[in-house]
Amino acid sequence: MMGMPRGGRLFLATCLCSLFVLVLYFQSITKPEPALKTGGRTVKSRRSPLQTLYKGDQQLQPSTAQKSLQGRRELLEQACLSHTRKRRVLSPEDLKHLIVDDKHGLIYCYVPKVACTNWKRVLMVLTSDGRYTDPLAIPANEAHVSGNLRTLSEFSVTEINQRLRSYLKFIFVRDPFERIVSAYRNKFTRSYNTAFHKRYGTKIIRRYRSDPDPEAMERGSDVSFREFVQYLVDPRTQREEPFNEHWERVHSLCHPCQIHYDVVGKYETLEADASAVLRLATVEGTVQFPTSGKSTRTDGNMAAHFFKHISPFYQKKLFNLYRMDFFLFNYSTPEYLRTR
């Protein structure tokens, strides 16, 4: 090498350096995720959920369920790319709906009125170390107690990033208008929801009902669906305070264009999609997702009945308010909608 011309020596040194960098690169991309420390115990690194779900044995044909889940994820990513120019940095406040299960490497963004009570029950079973075994034995109000489950907002930035990179992240969504009708029915037509009647019903009646009687203004328990829609589309509503989580848009609760969810489950295929998530988390033998026994749950026909009494003007304003959820999660404009 000493007898080489100076230019040759420089060329050889450059090649060796490049080879060294290349080796380091391939070592880094093949190195498994480091184990996470969680309260004194170490969570073992696991295969990437995307590898498990979408990059399984290449010799096997992906199942219909896998194709469906992959298709939804790809549609969401395409929608985000085409519709979001600037992506803001998320704050801890933005991560309060993301529940973390360190034991099984799961992150679930809960959306009220999309089977979130049962998902919280399932996660309480998975994280309880044996205290809970049957999701349906957990009272609904206990499932919603703050502190029973940890959220991503409770971790440091480094811990948040580690979990977002290596955990299975999933979300369940629903036709936006069916979700709105379900929220209205649950919060404004049930006698036991006096807190919602006082907090929101009294305000809605005072603002949108002409000549309300004193009892209605005091109790707030007989809000009509038309009044509720007026409240949602009124610009003053969001200027005064953020939407309640039960009617907040899914993209504002779960930030699907900043957080890349591995599974986008749908309420319309709830049981199959829930089974797929539990299978991916390898806990299908530990816990079963509760099946709904409700015969009066809100569906498209019921939503159509409620919207029949809403004028085209307000239907259009409401659709524009929830347009991003329709678009991101590939929901068609309801056939019953009259926006012209």
Side-chain angles (χ1 to χ4, degrees):
M1 186 163 171
M2 291 301 295
M4 270 190 189
R6 186 162 179 254
R9 291 200 303 272
L10 283 172
F11 175 75
L12 183 59
T14 302
C15 288
L16 288 171
C17 282
S18 299
L19 181 63
F20 179 67
V21 169
L22 215 57
V23 168
L24 285 178
Y25 170 73
F26 281 112
Q27 281 182 337
S28 70
I29 65 172
T30 56
K31 190 190 301 180
E33 279 285 334
L36 300 179
K37 298 274 188 179
T38 60
R41 79 169 177 265
T42 301
V43 177
K44 293 179 182 177
S45 61
R46 52 175 60 78
R47 196 176 188 214
S48 159
L50 289 183
Q51 288 177 323
T52 305
L53 184 57
Y54 305 132
K55 299 178 183 176
D57 191 333
Q58 298 300 314
Q59 295 179 341
L60 297 176
Q61 284 287 83
S63 67
T64 304
Q66 281 179 311
K67 287 180 180 177
S68 175
L69 293 174
Q70 185 172 11
R72 286 180 199 162
R73 186 173 180 274
E74 289 172 354
L75 282 170
L76 175 58
E77 288 188 347
Q78 290 167 11
C80 287
L81 286 172
S82 66
H83 226 72
T84 53
R85 299 289 175 261
K86 291 183 180 179
R87 298 187 182 183
R88 67 183 181 84
V89 176
L90 297 178
S91 68
E93 184 71 23
D94 295 316
L95 305 176
K96 287 189 172 180
H97 272 249
L98 278 77
I99 295 172
V100 177
D101 173 4
D102 275 328
K103 187 176 179 182
H104 302 94
L106 298 173
I107 293 177
Y108 161 60
C109 186
Y110 74 90
V111 179
K113 307 314 300 175
V114 192
C116 80
T117 301
N118 280 342
W119 268 118
K120 287 182 178 181
R121 286 166 162 159
V122 166
L123 287 164
M124 285 176 71
V125 170
L126 291 177
T127 59
S128 69
D129 291 326
R131 180 183 170 193
Y132 302 106
T133 56
D134 178 11
L136 287 178
I138 301 172
N141 61 330
E142 189 173 343
H144 296 296
V145 171
S146 177
N148 278 345
L149 293 163
R150 294 197 73 182
T151 66
L152 200 58
S153 60
E154 299 173 39
F155 295 91
S156 70
V157 173
T158 301
E159 291 170 330
I160 288 169
N161 288 331
Q162 284 178 323
R163 284 160 177 77
L164 287 174
R165 279 198 305 270
S166 61
Y167 282 15
L168 177 70
K169 302 173 291 297
F170 67 100
I171 178 177
F172 273 74
V173 298
R174 184 179 190 177
D175 175 281
F177 278 7
E178 289 179 25
R179 180 171 169 249
I180 289 169
V181 172
S182 178
Y184 167 75
R185 291 179 65 216
N186 180 254
K187 300 305 175 188
F188 294 104
T189 69
R190 304 286 191 266
S191 59
Y192 55 79
N193 267 325
T194 53
F196 267 81
H197 301 162
K198 283 281 189 181
R199 175 75 177 79
Y200 297 100
T202 53
K203 178 190 290 188
I204 291 171
I205 289 169
R206 282 198 305 271
R207 182 170 287 179
Y208 305 108
R209 187 175 299 181
S210 57
D211 194 27
D213 62 68
E215 185 180 359
M217 286 194 294
E218 171 67 23
R219 294 166 62 91
S221 58
D222 65 340
V223 172
S224 71
F225 186 62
R226 181 180 56 80
E227 290 168 335
F228 180 54
V229 169
Q230 284 181 280
Y231 168 75
L232 292 177
V233 302
D234 190 335
R236 291 175 293 179
T237 299
Q238 287 191 80
R239 282 203 301 266
E240 291 171 355
E241 61 182 339
F243 270 172
N244 180 276
E245 62 178 11
H246 290 84
W247 47 84
E248 178 61 279
R249 284 71 53 91
V250 176
H251 72 271
S252 296
L253 291 175
C254 295
H255 317 286
C257 291
Q258 286 98 335
I259 296 169
H260 299 285
Y261 291 96
D262 304 314
V263 176
V264 179
K266 290 202 168 185
Y267 190 77
E268 296 78 8
T269 51
L270 176 61
E271 289 182 21
D273 294 348
S275 294
V277 170
L278 296 178
R279 191 164 56 251
L280 287 165
T282 65
V283 294
E284 68 269 39
T286 305
V287 64
Q288 188 172 4
F289 190 84
T291 54
S292 175
K294 292 182 180 178
S295 58
T296 58
R297 70 181 188 180
T298 305
D299 58 13
N301 291 331
M302 188 176 290
H305 170 74
F306 276 85
F307 275 94
K308 184 168 65 175
H309 305 290
I310 304 300
S311 70
F313 173 77
Y314 280 113
Q315 286 187 9
K316 185 173 184 178
K317 286 177 77 74
L318 192 69
F319 180 79
N320 287 336
L321 185 63
Y322 288 86
R323 181 186 296 273
M324 187 62 81
D325 279 358
F326 277 101
F327 177 69
L328 289 177
F329 303 113
N330 197 33
Y331 282 103
S332 303
T333 306
E335 292 181 2
Y336 55 79
L337 214 61
R338 298 171 290 119
T339 58
R340 294 181 182 177

